[in-house]
Amino acid sequence: ALMERVTRVTVADTASGSGGFLIKVLRAVWRHYRRIGEASAWVNNWKGGDLLDTPPNVQQARAFREKFHFDNPRVLIAQILLRHIYAVDKDAGALEVAKTNLWKEAVRLSARDYNFRCLTGEINRTLPSLRLNFVCGDSLVDTDPAEQSRYLAEVCGAAMQKLCALREQYLANPSAHAPLDEALKLQAKLRENL
């Protein structure tokens, strides 16, 4: 239940600048994930018999840890960045600095897992792309909110649902960029229409 509440938390900084606030958000969210990960780490020490003899609570705890990648900190951190952190700024350069600062903080959170000596050639993308989460634009839009909602629902509804589905595919595997590339094309088309 706690994990379900935590995964629904999203923070958008609509004037992000270089990302100082978002770095603090990343640290806070990481602490919650770590606390939950530590509370379920007992299952890694389970020395039971075969799968048929494993109690249901152990099976559930293993499935839980696997679902949220608690034993793969690089994937966990990538999913935290993609699931929880959003930024808008009208300065494209500031957004690039914010991305870099968040990536640096992600490496600091689990430095051992990002040690270049441990990264093999099989790992093709170490950090996630934040292009879907970071938008260059003016967050102070002067259009009536009701009109914006109507337009988005009526004109862009199907495309936005597809964009969400592609985003979920990328979130499930941040190393596979095919859904990301398709989502970015769709996002560009939506922006053009807006």
Side-chain angles (χ1 to χ4, degrees):
L2 175 60
M3 195 65 195
E4 190 175 308
R5 287 197 320 262
V6 169
T7 58
R8 283 186 275 154
V9 171
T10 57
V11 176
D13 187 349
T14 57
S16 67
S18 62
F21 170 70
L22 293 174
I23 288 170
K24 291 179 182 183
V25 169
L26 174 61
R27 289 177 190 155
V29 173
W30 173 249
R31 276 194 304 274
H32 284 292
Y33 275 82
R34 291 282 310 263
R35 188 173 55 127
I36 295 168
E38 289 168 6
S40 64
W42 62 268
V43 77
N44 291 338
N45 297 325
W46 177 260
K47 302 288 189 235
D50 62 13
L51 185 60
L52 297 174
D53 294 335
T54 305
N57 67 324
V58 173
Q59 292 176 22
Q60 291 168 350
R62 285 181 179 158
F64 174 80
R65 289 185 64 78
E66 186 176 310
K67 176 181 178 181
F68 291 103
H69 301 279
F70 281 110
D71 296 316
N72 188 344
R74 283 188 317 99
V75 173
L76 177 62
I77 289 170
Q79 289 185 334
I80 289 171
L81 285 168
L82 294 170
R83 183 180 288 130
H84 300 284
I85 296 179
Y86 298 85
V88 178
D89 203 286
K90 59 184 181 178
D91 181 352
L95 277 177
E96 292 304 315
V97 171
K99 287 179 195 176
T100 302
N101 286 338
L102 279 164
W103 286 324
K104 286 169 47 179
E105 186 61 27
V107 170
R108 276 191 208 107
L109 292 176
S110 189
R112 183 184 59 205
D113 297 296
Y114 289 99
N115 185 324
F116 73 94
R117 291 181 194 101
C118 300
L119 298 175
T120 67
E122 300 162 8
I123 300 170
N124 54 353
R125 289 181 176 87
T126 305
L127 293 163
S129 171
L130 297 173
R131 291 183 289 174
L132 285 175
N133 293 37
F134 284 60
V135 177
C136 185
D138 192 345
S139 59
L140 299 175
V141 179
D142 62 354
T143 307
D144 176 44
E147 180 62 24
Q148 290 178 44
S149 296
R150 185 202 60 74
Y151 179 82
L152 290 171
E154 292 175 10
V155 178
C156 304
M160 302 235 346
Q161 286 178 341
K162 184 174 181 179
L163 183 64
C164 288
L166 290 167
R167 192 176 184 296
E168 287 300 317
Q169 287 177 19
Y170 179 58
L171 180 60
N173 185 1
S175 294
H177 276 218
L180 172 68
D181 295 338
E182 190 177 343
L184 289 170
K185 288 176 189 173
L186 183 56
Q187 183 185 47
K189 187 175 180 180
L190 281 167
R191 267 192 97 135
E192 185 180 304
N193 290 341
L194 289 172

